[in-house]
């Protein structure tokens, strides 16, 4: 079997599997809540792996190995910051967000949670948050489609537009019909594919090189400064890299997985699975870079620095049979598609739940909400595809702000909403806008060379705190709801079943002053 045929077969198998999962999810999606949040019935494994896969995108398989290949371990600070941020996110945000979103009016999106939690009768917070999500994620989805087109263009010599259309078509199909369940389960499969590929390449490389000794010798001969974590780094550079971890608290497509867990108690198990996956994946990316350096030195296969981001692709094609190499290529595509599908669904929910409904549109009941959601997925996909068709630099440049923009606009507000009783809707709105504007200005002018998420996050926190203190008025219902959310977040699975009842039965619509549910 020649290389192209084997890789094509692997791609076809992958695409068919994704579509089958989408059809399966369609049979289990009966209403709007199912479509947007899977009926809050996500098990810890699916939640953890889907969150990781939707987070990492192609950066994990191409960007990180390429950066390490060129510059050495000094480029690992971003991975360190992200890993720490992901752990804190699962530890501090996941259980409370899961409990609070259900207690606060059974919220199914981040903006609707903030609106319900803060009693924003003006709906300003929901509408502004929904608009931020819609704008940034439309461009984000477009960027993913661009990446898919470029992938097929570089890996198979396919026409860019055909490759982009193929990726967009499959993603839109399983997202359109299967909703949150399809996105989560395909993300889980894609996450496992990414992990398997990142573990397989370093192991095969060490064997092909003849052991760890030869690996180390090859690395030192090619780049003796590879192992230095501070080689050429500045204090500002290291701080900026570590600051990437702050972005996790405000990424809607990631934290929505927390809201869909079966119970807050399962966040602990999900955290262990998710961080374990992340650590193994990051180590695998580093191992891929090291194998690439040593292999280049001894002539096992060549990777020029101008093709550093292709080190994973080149290694896979050089060391594995064609069909296995095809599945490794599919792992890159999986990373791209998992992010597109997650962002597409979050954008749809922002339009339907947080803009359309909040502005006084028709009530989003089960069947109507489901129809509007699917139409929104289709409309956003078409809009994103139009942008992606022309592959303009302005879109790609805007996407560079997205992680910082979401992290600074939503991160501080989510944390304050979960951990500070006195946050008000006025403070949240002011903080959200401050974070987004700061990121835009700071990122445009590259002030002090500092990554814009750090000042954006800090300024948003300060503004939200100050404005909330000026506008706070004690509300016994909000206070009781906060107490109930904290108690539920800390409860074990057995305690939840005993006190609140199983599943959705513990929605707290009526609370006494101690935060206990009045049945």
């Amino acid at each position: 079997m020649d290389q192209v045929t084997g890789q094509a077969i692997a791609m076809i198998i992958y695409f068919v599997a994704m579509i089958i999962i989408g059809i399966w999810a369609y049979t289990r999606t009966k209403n709007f809540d199912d479509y947007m949040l899977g009926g809050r019935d996500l098990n810890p494994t699916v939640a953890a792996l889907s969150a990781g896969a939707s987070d990492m995108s192609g950066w994990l398989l191409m960007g990180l190995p390429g950066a390490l290949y060129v510059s050495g371990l000094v480029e690992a600070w971003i991975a360190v910051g992200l890993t720490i941020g992901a752990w804190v996110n699962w530890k501090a945000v996941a259980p409370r967000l899961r409990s609070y979103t259900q207690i606060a009016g059974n919220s199914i999106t981040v903006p609707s949670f903030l609106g319900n939690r803060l009693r924003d009768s003006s709906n300003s917070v929901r509408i502004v948050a929904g608009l931020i999500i819609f704008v940034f994620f439309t461009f984000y989805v477009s960027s993913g489609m661009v990446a898919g087109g470029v992938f097929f263009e570089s890996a198979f010599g396919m026409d860019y537009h055909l490759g982009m259309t193929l990726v967009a078509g499959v993603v839109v199909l399983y997202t359109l019909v299967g909703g949150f369940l399809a996105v989560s389960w395909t993300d889980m499969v894609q996450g496992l594919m990414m992990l398997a590929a990142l573990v397989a390449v370093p192991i095969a490389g060490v064997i092909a090189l003849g052991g760890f000794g030869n690996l180390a010798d090859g690395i030192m001969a090619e780049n003796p400064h590879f192992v230095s974590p501070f080689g050429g780094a500045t204090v500002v550079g290291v701080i900026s890299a570590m600051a990437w971890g702050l972005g996790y608290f405000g990424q809607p497509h990631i934290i929505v997985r927390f809201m869909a867990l079966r119970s807050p108690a399962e966040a602990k198990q999900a955290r262990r699975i998710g961080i374990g996956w992340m650590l193994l994946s990051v180590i695998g990316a580093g191992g891929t870079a090291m194998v690439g350096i040593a292999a280049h030195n001894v002539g096992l296969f060549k990777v020029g620095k101008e093709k550093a981001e292709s080190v994973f692709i080149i290694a896979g094609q050089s060391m594995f049979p064609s069909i296995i190499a095809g599945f490794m290529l599919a792992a890159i595509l999986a990373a791209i598609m998992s992010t597109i599908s997650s962002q597409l669904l979050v954008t749809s929910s922002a339009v339907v739940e947080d803009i359309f409904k909040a502005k006084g549109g028709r009530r989003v009941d089960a069947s109507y909400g489901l129809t509007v959601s699917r139409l929104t997925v289709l409309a956003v996909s078409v809009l994103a595809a139009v942008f992606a068709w022309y592959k303009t630099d302005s879109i790609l440049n805007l996407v560079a702000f997205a992680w910082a923009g979401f992290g600074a606009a939503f991160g501080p507000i989510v944390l304050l909403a979960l951990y500070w009783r006195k946050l008000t809707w006025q403070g949240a709105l002011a903080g959200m806008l401050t974070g987004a504007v700061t990121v835009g200005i700071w990122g445009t002018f590259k002030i002090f060379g500092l990554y814009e998420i750090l000042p954006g996050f800090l300024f948003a926190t300060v503004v939200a705190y100050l404005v909330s203190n000026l506008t706070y008025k004690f509300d016994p219902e909000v206070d009781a709801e906060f107490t109930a959310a904290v108690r539920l977040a800390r409860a074990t699975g057995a305690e939840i079943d005993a006190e609140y009842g199983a599943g959705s039965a513990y929605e707290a619509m009526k609370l006494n002053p101690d935060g206990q549910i009045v049945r």
Side-chain angles (χ1 to χ4, degrees):
M1 183 184 298
D2 64 83
Q3 188 178 62
V4 174
T5 301
Q7 293 175 1
I9 290 173
M11 286 292 173
I12 292 171
I13 293 173
Y14 165 71
F15 278 136
V16 170
M18 297 301 101
I19 293 171
I20 289 173
I21 292 174
I23 295 171
W24 166 81
Y26 175 78
T27 64
R28 299 188 58 181
T29 301
K30 306 300 182 185
N31 54 47
F32 183 63
D33 283 8
D34 286 346
Y35 190 78
M36 290 302 178
L37 215 57
R40 295 189 192 269
D41 195 32
L42 218 58
N43 70 61
T45 301
V46 176
L49 294 181
S50 65
S54 64
D55 160 30
M56 285 303 181
S57 189
W59 174 82
L60 184 63
L61 288 94
M62 298 182 72
L64 181 57
L68 292 170
Y69 182 89
V70 172
S71 304
L73 292 183
V74 67
E75 294 290 344
W77 288 110
I78 291 179
V80 173
L82 288 173
T83 303
I84 294 173
W87 186 88
V88 175
N89 202 27
W90 275 107
K91 177 72 174 179
V93 174
R96 287 206 180 190
L97 188 63
R98 171 60 183 85
S99 66
Y100 218 147
T101 50
Q102 187 152 6
I103 284 176
N106 195 28
S107 308
I108 63 173
T109 68
V110 174
S112 66
F113 159 65
L114 294 175
N116 293 336
R117 153 74 174 88
L118 303 172
R119 300 301 193 273
D120 176 19
S121 58
S122 71
N123 283 325
S124 300
V125 170
R126 289 180 66 177
I127 293 172
V128 170
L131 288 172
I132 290 174
I133 288 173
F134 174 76
V135 172
F136 276 108
F137 270 159
T138 297
F139 287 108
Y140 233 145
V141 170
S142 176
S143 175
M145 291 180 180
V146 170
V150 171
F151 168 81
F152 274 104
E153 189 178 44
S154 60
F156 295 99
M158 185 183 292
D159 176 72
Y160 163 78
H161 296 105
L162 180 59
M164 187 211 80
T165 303
L166 181 60
V167 170
V170 174
V171 174
V172 170
L173 179 59
Y174 71 69
T175 306
L176 191 69
V177 301
F180 187 83
L181 279 178
V183 169
S184 297
W185 280 89
T186 54
D187 281 357
M188 184 196 73
V189 173
Q190 290 160 344
L192 291 173
M193 290 175 63
M194 293 160 64
L195 177 61
L198 284 168
V199 170
V201 168
I203 291 175
V206 170
I207 294 172
L209 289 165
F212 287 101
N214 291 339
L215 173 69
D217 292 342
I219 293 171
M220 295 307 294
E222 192 72 22
N223 182 4
H225 303 293
F226 179 88
V227 296
S228 173
F230 298 101
T234 64
V235 173
V236 172
V238 172
I239 292 174
S240 294
M242 293 284 287
W244 275 78
L246 291 173
Y248 275 108
F249 309 122
Q251 303 301 319
H253 61 300
I254 296 174
I255 62 178
V256 72
R257 265 65 179 184
F258 304 162
M259 297 159 59
L261 283 166
R262 288 183 300 209
S263 77
E266 292 190 331
K268 183 176 182 179
Q269 182 183 350
R271 181 182 75 242
R272 292 172 175 171
I273 295 170
I275 298 304
W277 177 90
M278 193 170 185
L279 285 172
L280 288 174
S281 297
V282 168
I283 292 171
T288 297
M290 289 188 283
V291 165
I293 293 171
H296 182 86
N297 179 257
V298 301
L300 181 62
F301 55 83
K302 293 290 185 179
V303 183
K305 288 194 174 181
E306 72 281 359
K307 294 185 177 181
E309 289 194 342
S310 299
V311 61
F312 174 83
I313 296 175
I314 295 171
Q317 290 177 328
S318 301
M319 296 189 298
F320 292 92
S322 60
I323 195 163
I324 302 299
F327 280 112
M328 290 187 167
L329 290 176
I332 298 175
L333 196 58
I336 296 169
M337 291 172 62
S338 62
T339 303
I340 295 175
S341 60
S342 298
Q343 293 167 346
L344 199 54
L345 194 64
V346 169
T347 308
S348 170
S349 66
V351 171
V352 177
E353 182 73 3
D354 304 314
I355 298 176
F356 177 80
K357 184 177 179 181
K359 290 184 71 174
R362 178 177 170 179
R363 180 178 178 271
V364 182
D365 57 26
S367 59
Y368 184 73
L370 195 55
T371 301
V372 174
S373 298
R374 285 177 170 145
L375 289 174
T376 303
V377 167
L378 185 60
V380 172
S381 302
V382 171
L383 181 60
V386 169
F387 291 137
W389 190 266
Y390 298 102
K391 201 166 47 173
T392 58
D393 291 337
S394 60
I395 296 172
L396 300 178
N397 290 336
L398 181 58
V399 169
F401 288 112
W403 181 268
F406 282 128
F410 293 143
I413 309 307
V414 168
L415 289 172
L416 288 172
L418 297 176
Y419 283 90
W420 190 42
R421 295 173 187 265
K422 294 184 177 182
L423 181 68
T424 65
W425 72 262
Q426 296 95 330
L429 183 62
M432 194 185 308
L433 292 172
T434 299
V437 171
T438 300
V439 164
I441 295 174
W442 204 284
T444 299
F445 294 101
K446 308 297 181 185
I447 303 173
F448 305 131
L450 185 67
Y451 183 35
E452 54 266 24
I453 194 173
L454 190 56
F457 196 96
L458 293 176
F459 292 165
T461 303
V462 171
V463 169
Y465 176 80
L466 293 176
V467 174
S468 292
N469 274 319
L470 291 173
T471 56
Y472 175 74
K473 293 180 181 179
F474 178 76
D475 185 329
E477 184 179 347
V478 173
D479 198 69
E481 191 175 83
F482 187 97
T483 301
V486 172
R487 292 177 68 244
L488 180 58
R490 292 174 176 171
T492 65
E495 290 170 341
I496 290 172
D497 290 341
E499 183 170 354
Y500 297 99
S504 61
Y506 59 82
E507 293 178 21
M509 297 299 103
K510 295 181 181 179
L511 306 167
N512 66 23
D514 295 323
Q516 296 173 325
I517 297 174
V518 179
R519 297 191 181 278

